[in-house]
């Protein structure tokens, strides 16, 4: 059964933007966040395919991406949200 993720439309726009970006701190963090969100999700195959394609384009494995983003997150804030109490992981 295929499901539609509640954040699909917002995430689709984010993925489209990421595909145009170079792999800097924010795009890497976004790629990692979205990979985690859609891991094992029974739907959104287009997003999942594009995320995997970005890993290949940026010549990264998931493990290498997560290692880099852990370093990024420990050294400086990546997300600046006006409502810090709002989480957007699921």
């Amino acid at each position: 059964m295929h499901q539609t993720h509640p954040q699909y439309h917002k995430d689709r726009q984010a993925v489209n933007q990421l595909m145009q970006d170079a792999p800097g701190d924010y795009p890497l963090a976004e790629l990692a966040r979205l990979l985690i969100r859609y891991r094992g999700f029974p739907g959104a195959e287009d997003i999942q395919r594009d995320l995997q394609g970005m890993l290949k384009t940026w010549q990264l494995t998931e493990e290498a991406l997560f290692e880099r983003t852990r370093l990024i997150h420990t050294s400086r804030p990546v997300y600046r949200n006006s409502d810090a109490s709002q989480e957007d992981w699921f």
Side-chain angles (χ1 to χ4, degrees):
M1 180 172 140
H2 293 290
Q3 296 179 16
T4 301
H5 195 282
Q7 298 290 331
Y8 176 85
H9 294 291
K10 185 172 143 183
D11 291 343
R12 180 71 260 173
Q13 291 176 347
V15 170
N16 290 345
Q17 180 60 51
L18 284 176
M19 290 191 305
Q20 299 174 27
D21 290 342
D25 289 355
Y26 181 78
L28 288 170
E30 278 292 277
L31 177 56
R33 180 181 70 82
L34 291 166
L35 280 167
I36 291 167
R37 174 178 282 173
Y38 286 94
R39 180 183 289 152
F41 184 76
E45 291 88 357
D46 60 321
I47 287 179
Q48 293 183 45
R49 182 179 52 250
D50 288 345
L51 295 173
Q52 292 300 317
M54 289 171 51
L55 281 174
K56 288 178 186 172
T57 298
W58 291 350
Q59 300 178 336
L60 292 167
T61 63
E62 279 192 23
E63 184 178 322
L65 172 68
F66 294 148
E67 184 177 323
R68 284 182 68 177
T69 55
R70 277 192 297 273
L71 292 172
I72 291 167
H73 284 294
T74 58
S75 66
R76 64 195 152 282
V78 176
Y79 297 106
R80 289 177 174 75
N81 187 349
S82 60
D83 181 8
S85 65
Q86 179 182 356
E87 291 290 332
D88 184 26
W89 287 96
F90 300 101

